[in-house]
Amino acid sequence: MPKTVPISKDIICLKDGTIIIPIRYKDRDKDETFTSITARTAEKRNFYKKYDNDYIWDHVEIYNPETKSFKAEFNTDVLKENLFNFELKNGNILFINQNDSYIFDIKTHSFIKADELTQKQCQTFIKHINDLLKKHMSLKLEEASTKRIKYIKLNDKQYLLSCGEEGYLYKDYFFYGDIRNPIKTCHKSVIADFGKLKAQIGPEFIYSHFESTVIPVNRNKILIIGGADYIDSSFNTQILEIKEK
């Protein structure tokens, strides 16, 4: 039996009906250890320190739509510190993690470690993205659960990257003291393109996308609806179009 309720944002649904469910939890909230708001803020502003990503992993549940049954994968490295997932030409799914990357075989409904060439390609891809993220936005790739990076999947080969909720609060909007960043870092974006194994500067948001809902329209267009109306007019709707170069 699972020791905890799965985190809804962790659940991955594939085209064929397969469902991949990581079972992980936090022993306790890290915020409880801070003695003051000032201490919490100082810790959160350090973007190059893993502070709130200390999940305890138990296992991964895999639902097979053909047999209508679940099985457990106990090698949690298959999804630990996952950044991206892409569908390969044969229909299998490549999960690119910070360190080792794995492929989910849709026929056997199991994970296998990516071969050496694929591992090198994944690490090269991550390096290109991090180099541009650092230069363009002073960010770096992190697991989505830190909420410092917003991952928007555009299509089968591209992601749009910008500030997540925590990123927005500590890059452009600082509650305690109401300090604003005139550069508006979180209005910027980076496109991660696995097809070309490179990264490029993406379009700029007109309004804040803090707490907004993101809806893909087609391969190159996304709709960003609403958000927090108390932050930089984010309670607006905007459309971002990615133009092919």
Side-chain angles (χ1 to χ4, degrees), residues 59-219:
H59 70 284
V60 178
E61 290 280 343
I62 301 170
Y63 175 73
N64 185 333
E66 295 178 0
T67 61
K68 294 181 171 57
S69 62
F70 285 90
K71 72 174 182 179
E73 169 61 68
F74 291 99
N75 176 16
T76 56
D77 286 345
V78 298
L79 289 177
K80 193 172 288 185
E81 295 193 58
N82 177 245
L83 304 173
F84 308 101
N85 68 77
F86 296 101
E87 184 175 344
L88 303 176
K89 290 181 179 179
N90 60 5
N92 291 341
I93 310 300
L94 171 64
F95 288 89
I96 298 180
N97 306 327
Q98 285 276 21
N99 299 308
D100 292 334
S101 295
Y102 285 79
I103 292 173
F104 182 77
D105 189 315
I106 59 170
K107 293 181 179 178
T108 62
H109 287 83
S110 58
F111 286 91
I112 55 175
K113 195 168 184 177
D115 59 50
E116 187 176 348
L117 175 60
T118 303
Q119 295 279 8
K120 288 181 179 179
Q121 289 177 332
C122 291
Q123 289 304 309
T124 298
F125 184 51
I126 289 172
K127 184 180 185 306
H128 287 331
I129 298 168
N130 274 331
D131 288 346
L132 186 56
L133 275 175
K134 185 175 182 180
K135 180 180 179 181
H136 189 52
M137 301 177 68
S138 297
L139 291 172
K140 70 168 186 175
L141 290 173
E142 297 181 86
E143 188 184 19
S145 63
T146 66
K147 298 182 181 179
R148 293 192 281 242
I149 290 276
K150 181 188 281 289
Y151 291 83
I152 302 172
K153 195 167 187 176
L154 296 173
N155 49 59
D156 55 350
K157 296 297 180 187
Q158 295 178 321
Y159 276 79
L160 183 74
L161 309 176
S162 190
C163 294
E165 291 180 19
E166 292 292 340
Y168 212 102
L169 288 175
Y170 293 94
K171 284 294 182 184
D172 282 354
Y173 191 93
F174 183 37
F175 277 122
Y176 313 110
D178 197 25
I179 300 172
R180 308 298 177 93
N181 177 6
I183 299 175
K184 293 187 176 182
T185 301
C186 295
H187 283 236
K188 300 176 181 179
S189 72
V190 165
I191 297 173
D193 190 329
F194 186 66
K196 299 177 181 178
L197 288 178
K198 71 172 190 177
Q200 64 188 62
I201 293 175
E204 292 198 9
F205 292 85
I206 300 173
Y207 307 109
S208 161
H209 52 75
F210 184 76
E211 294 185 0
S212 61
T213 300
V214 177
I215 301 175
V217 177
N218 54 39
R219 279 185 58 86

